[in-house]
């Protein structure tokens, strides 16, 4: 015990640099940004060195009356539809590639390539696919699912732009979650599945009764990460719409609203942008709690 107490200051000393970095680059921006959400503070204030002016809930009243903000939040919530599709597909493919088959390493690497592909390169490729003369239209025409005279530009049509960008998010995240699921699958003792087979369980019963319950912590982690990524989607929207929010604001998301209020236009309204960011953070917090409750209860039942 005495030895432990003597070693404690040294341990804290080693932790101090990381703790300082955490305070400077994470804690302080979060606290200061939260404070700005309740103030009036623009680039003009910054240029004249005028301190932020406290206005209480003024920014939130502005957001409540801003139709564009409503659209952006609705689009961000709608973007959550990618989460179940992404998780189910990733888990299913992880089960398939988690086998010792000839050449399986190639498939594992191939599925992971989109994760390491830069968004700018992905934008060039997907723009080529979504173009009115692109691969997607050519394929649909070949399958007689589109009339030969149609020339749909998927990213410029308000009915398809949102789903087209969501598909890119699915494509980029699929390999990442597949790897996480594979790590979880490799922690399941093989004896359990072997015993189930000896008891006459079918592959589906073995998957549903053994694999899924034991994978609950990994499913929780992956679902939580993808939910937070979906509600905070920005990168794809910025790249594919040049930050305009797409046709008729069909791809205008909540974080794009924050970005545009902070760095777009002429006013640089940091106070309003911070308030919008707080709303997004609150939604993300609620979704995180729901995820924890849903999957923890499932884990307990299992």
């Amino acid at each position: 015990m005495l030895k432990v107490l003597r070693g404690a200051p040294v341990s804290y000393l080693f932790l101090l640099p990381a703790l300082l970095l955490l305070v400077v680059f994470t804690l302080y921006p979060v606290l200061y940004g939260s404070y700005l959400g309740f103030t009036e503070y623009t680039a003009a204030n910054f240029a004249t060195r005028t301190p932020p002016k406290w206005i209480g809930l003024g920014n939130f009243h502005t957001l409540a009356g801003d139709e564009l903000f409503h659209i952006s939040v609705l689009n961000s919530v709608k973007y959550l539809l990618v989460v179940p599709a992404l998780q189910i597909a990733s888990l299913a493919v992880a089960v398939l590639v988690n086998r010792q088959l000839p050449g399986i390493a190639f498939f594992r690497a191939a599925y992971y390539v989109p994760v390491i592909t830069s968004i700018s390169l992905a934008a060039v490729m997907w723009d080529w696919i979504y173009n009115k003369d692109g691969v997607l239209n050519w394929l649909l025409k070949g399958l007689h699912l589109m009339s030969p005279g149609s020339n749909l530009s998927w990213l410029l049509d308000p009915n398809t732009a949102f789903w087209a960008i969501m598909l890119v998010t699915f494509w980029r995240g699929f390999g990442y979650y597949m790897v996480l699921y594979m790590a979880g699958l490799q922690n399941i003792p093989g004896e359990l599945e072997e015993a189930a087979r000896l008891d006459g369980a079918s592959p589906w019963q073995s998957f549903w009764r053994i694999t899924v319950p034991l994978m609950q912590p990994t499913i929780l982690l992956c679902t939580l990460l993808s939910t937070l990524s979906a509600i905070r989607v920005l990168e794809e929207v910025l790249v594919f719409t040049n930050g305009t929010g797409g046709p008729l604001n069909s791809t205008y998301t909540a974080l794009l609203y924050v970005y545009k209020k902070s760095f777009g236009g002429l006013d640089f309204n940091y106070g309003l942008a911070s308030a919008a960011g707080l709303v997004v953070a609150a939604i993300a917090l609620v979704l995180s709690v729901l995820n924890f409750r849903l999957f923890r209860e499932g884990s307990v039942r299992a």
Side-chain angles (χ1 to χ4, degrees), residues 7 11 63 65 73 118 147 157 180 187 198 210-211 213 229 242 246 259:
S11 302
L63 292 175
V73 172
S118 70
S147 61
D157 190 305
L180 292 181
N187 284 329
L198 291 175
I210 296 175
T211 305
S229 298
N242 292 323
Y259 175 82

Side-chain angles (χ1 to χ4, degrees), residues 33 82 93 121 123 146 166 187 202 213-214:
V82 75
V93 174
L121 182 60
M146 179 183 278
M166 188 185 284
N187 284 329
S202 65
L214 292 177

Side-chain angles (χ1 to χ4, degrees), residues 1-154:
M1 183 68 183
L2 194 59
K3 250 183 208 179
V4 173
L5 290 176
R6 280 178 184 166
V10 178
S11 302
Y12 287 124
L13 196 61
F14 278 108
L15 290 173
L16 190 60
L19 185 62
L20 285 175
L21 289 174
L22 189 69
V23 169
V24 172
F25 293 106
T26 302
L27 188 60
Y28 173 72
V30 168
L31 293 178
Y32 188 63
S34 302
Y35 164 69
L36 286 183
F38 298 90
T39 65
E40 182 183 321
Y41 191 57
T42 64
N45 297 100
F46 179 77
T48 57
R49 297 187 179 180
T50 306
K53 179 185 175 186
W54 180 267
I55 57 171
L57 298 176
N59 287 325
F60 296 94
H61 286 303
T62 304
L63 292 175
D66 190 344
E67 190 183 350
L68 184 58
F69 181 67
H70 300 167
I71 293 172
S72 67
V73 172
L74 188 63
N75 282 338
S76 290
V77 172
K78 199 164 67 171
Y79 215 86
L80 292 171
L81 290 172
V82 75
V83 174
L86 192 54
Q87 297 311 313
I88 292 170
S90 303
L91 178 58
V93 174
V95 171
L96 290 176
V97 300
N98 190 39
R99 299 169 188 274
Q100 297 303 323
L101 297 174
I104 201 68
F106 167 78
F107 289 99
R108 291 174 183 169
Y111 288 131
Y112 197 73
V113 166
V115 180
I116 57 174
T117 304
S118 70
I119 184 63
S120 52
L121 182 60
V124 172
M125 186 187 76
W126 281 95
D127 187 58
W128 178 60
I129 292 173
Y130 286 145
N131 194 283
K132 63 181 181 181
D133 298 320
V135 175
L136 186 54
N137 283 346
W138 172 79
L139 186 63
L140 292 174
K141 288 176 185 175
L143 295 172
H144 302 289
L145 296 173
M146 179 183 278
S147 61
S150 297
N151 281 314
L152 177 63
S153 185
W154 295 79

